[in-house]
Amino acid sequence: MNNFFIIVLDGVGVGELPDADFYGDAGSNTLANIANSVNGLTLPNFQKLGLGNIIPIKGLGENHKPLASFGKMSELSRGKDSTTGHWELSGLFVETDFGYFPNGFPKNITDKFLEVTGCLGFLGNKAASGTEIIEELGDEHVKTGFPIIYTSADSVFQIAAHQKIIPLEKLYEICDKTRNEVLVDPLKVGRVIARPFLGKSGSYERTVYRKDYSLDPPSETVLDLLQKNKINTVAIGKINDLFNYRGISVQVKSKSNKEGFEQLIRASNEYQNSLIFINLVDFDVYFGHRNDVEGFAKALKELDDFLPVFLENLYQTDRVIFTADHGNDPTTPSTDHSREYVPVLYFGKNKSVTNLGIRNTFSDVGKTVADYFDIKNDLRGASFINE
């Protein structure tokens, strides 16, 4: 069917980058540290592909006849944000960093937020874990009706609200105005994120109706190039938000890994001559950010169990890249992303296999996709399609 799949395992890093200490991430190694913490991962299908050939992972021995080409990639762009990670995967190098607010947003931003959105006040305004801040401020939010605003180590302006206090559509309107009227250049905040929740005091829980408001990529991505050349581009889940819907022909909603698995099978049957780009978000959202090692390991096993069904469904001419956008090591004290190498497994039925080594940039993925579809391009990176 001549489809190319990019499957992003959100937050599944494979070891600290040389500059990890600058970001406070020395010692981070998401996959290896999880494996050590649970006394070994059991991922037989990923082991067949060659995941254990990339780095030592307890429970995954090295495969001397892997089914996929294997290696790891370094991030050239600054930061460890999902947006820059995905943009670099698409063939870009983001030369300027986003703005970060470890001490909360300054008064000129919060004043503008109140003026533009019409909110009578706000709560929070600090760097915080999303689950912790709604437990801390949820009761006051319900009492006052003020939205909770917060950030993290990433370039994000997050707005949390109880769906019965600020309905979804109103929360989305507040986020849209924040994105387009409050956070203007030169602030360059990567994303505004709507964080709705439900429940009552002591048992608040975030819902699946999160929505991201991103920026346009600063230059042409592989998605733009393919769309210009009449190649179908299918984005599943978070991909749509991260590219601000640009260069995407078909937008598919997905709120969980399980839904993502279902959409992958559907897309592999429905489309041909297409790029199918998906982010499996659960690793990052539910386990990395919550330091849930056991949950992270279980989610990896669920993906591993799904692999045979997906791979068997592929055609001989289809190609797949499994990779990540950053790390999110749940074994470290931090609940934020970690500055790590990301894995790359490049699979095709009966395709020759090689050790791809350490790649200089995530952009090798976008370059490879462009070459697969035989599209002339000036994307960053080095294609490994013929290696």
Side-chain angles (χ1 to χ4, degrees), residues 8-15 28-31 34 80-82 86 89 238 279-285 287-289 296 300 323-330 336-343:
V8 180
L9 283 55
D10 200 318
V12 182
V14 288
S28 293
N29 190 330
T30 301
L31 262 182
I34 290 171
K80 48 183 178 175
D81 184 84
S82 293
H86 282 77
L89 286 170
K238 185 176 174 180
N279 176 290
L280 297 176
V281 71
D282 288 9
F283 306 110
D284 184 71
V285 171
F287 309 117
H289 284 304
F296 207 129
L300 288 167
T323 188
D325 51 345
H326 49 70
N328 197 335
D329 191 337
D336 291 314
H337 297 161
S338 42
R339 178 82 171 173
E340 295 187 46
Y341 290 101
V342 299

Side-chain angles (χ1 to χ4, degrees), residues 187-218:
L187 293 171
K188 290 189 177 177
V189 175
R191 284 175 292 159
V192 174
I193 306 177
R195 292 289 197 176
F197 64 94
L198 284 171
K200 58 185 180 181
S201 182
S203 59
Y204 295 119
E205 290 188 4
R206 295 195 295 195
T207 70
V208 298
Y209 300 107
R210 161 185 172 160
K211 189 172 181 181
D212 292 42
Y213 297 76
S214 190
L215 297 167
D216 281 343

Side-chain angles (χ1 to χ4, degrees), residues 126-130 132-133 136 150-152 158 335-336:
K126 60 183 179 180
S129 159
E132 291 175 2
I133 201 166
E136 176 190 347
Y150 64 104
T151 187
S152 72
Q158 305 190 80
T335 58
D336 291 314

Side-chain angles (χ1 to χ4, degrees), residues 151-166:
T151 187
S152 72
D154 299 322
S155 181
V156 290
F157 189 116
Q158 305 190 80
I159 307 174
H162 196 291
Q163 289 179 207
K164 292 185 178 179
I165 303 301
I166 299 179

Side-chain angles (χ1 to χ4, degrees), residues 90 140 157 164 246 286 369:
S90 74
E140 190 175 354
F157 189 116
K164 292 185 178 179
R246 203 183 80 186
Y286 297 113
V369 172

Side-chain angles (χ1 to χ4, degrees), residues 120-318:
L120 300 178
F122 60 83
L123 305 173
N125 191 27
K126 60 183 179 180
S129 159
T131 52
E132 291 175 2
I133 201 166
I134 62 173
E135 288 302 320
E136 176 190 347
L137 298 174
D139 290 352
E140 190 175 354
H141 162 70
V142 170
K143 180 180 178 180
T144 63
F146 297 164
I148 302 168
I149 67 174
Y150 64 104
T151 187
S152 72
D154 299 322
S155 181
V156 290
F157 189 116
Q158 305 190 80
I159 307 174
H162 196 291
Q163 289 179 207
K164 292 185 178 179
I165 303 301
I166 299 179
L168 277 177
E169 291 308 313
K170 180 61 177 178
L171 176 59
Y172 292 161
E173 178 188 322
I174 291 170
C175 290
D176 185 78
K177 288 182 176 180
T178 302
R179 167 80 284 168
N180 294 303
E181 300 178 48
V182 178
L183 301 175
V184 295
D185 284 345
L187 293 171
K188 290 189 177 177
V189 175
R191 284 175 292 159
V192 174
I193 306 177
R195 292 289 197 176
F197 64 94
L198 284 171
K200 58 185 180 181
S201 182
S203 59
Y204 295 119
E205 290 188 4
R206 295 195 295 195
T207 70
V208 298
Y209 300 107
R210 161 185 172 160
K211 189 172 181 181
D212 292 42
Y213 297 76
S214 190
L215 297 167
D216 281 343
S219 57
E220 207 166 45
T221 72
V222 71
L223 291 167
D224 299 315
L225 283 170
L226 294 180
Q227 196 173 58
K228 279 184 180 180
N229 285 274
K230 312 302 181 187
I231 303 294
N232 193 42
T233 55
V234 181
I236 302 174
K238 185 176 174 180
I239 301 298
N240 292 286
D241 294 319
L242 293 171
F243 288 88
N244 209 23
Y245 299 86
R246 203 183 80 186
I248 296 169
S249 307
V250 181
Q251 302 165 9
V252 181
K253 291 184 178 180
S254 175
K255 298 294 185 182
S256 67
N257 282 6
K258 183 180 178 182
E259 285 186 22
F261 299 161
E262 294 168 356
Q263 294 295 354
L264 273 172
I265 294 296
R266 186 187 67 80
S268 66
N269 291 326
E270 183 172 340
Y271 299 107
Q272 57 185 341
N273 198 42
S274 300
L275 170 65
I276 298 162
F277 198 172
I278 184 173
N279 176 290
L280 297 176
V281 71
D282 288 9
F283 306 110
D284 184 71
V285 171
Y286 297 113
F287 309 117
H289 284 304
R290 300 182 185 184
N291 284 354
D292 183 350
V293 178
E294 295 287 342
F296 207 129
K298 182 181 178 182
L300 288 167
K301 183 64 169 64
E302 289 169 352
L303 173 58
D304 191 78
D305 291 342
F306 166 73
L307 279 185
V309 178
F310 170 65
L311 297 179
E312 181 61 30
N313 205 52
L314 298 176
Y315 285 77
Q316 296 287 334
T317 55
D318 292 344

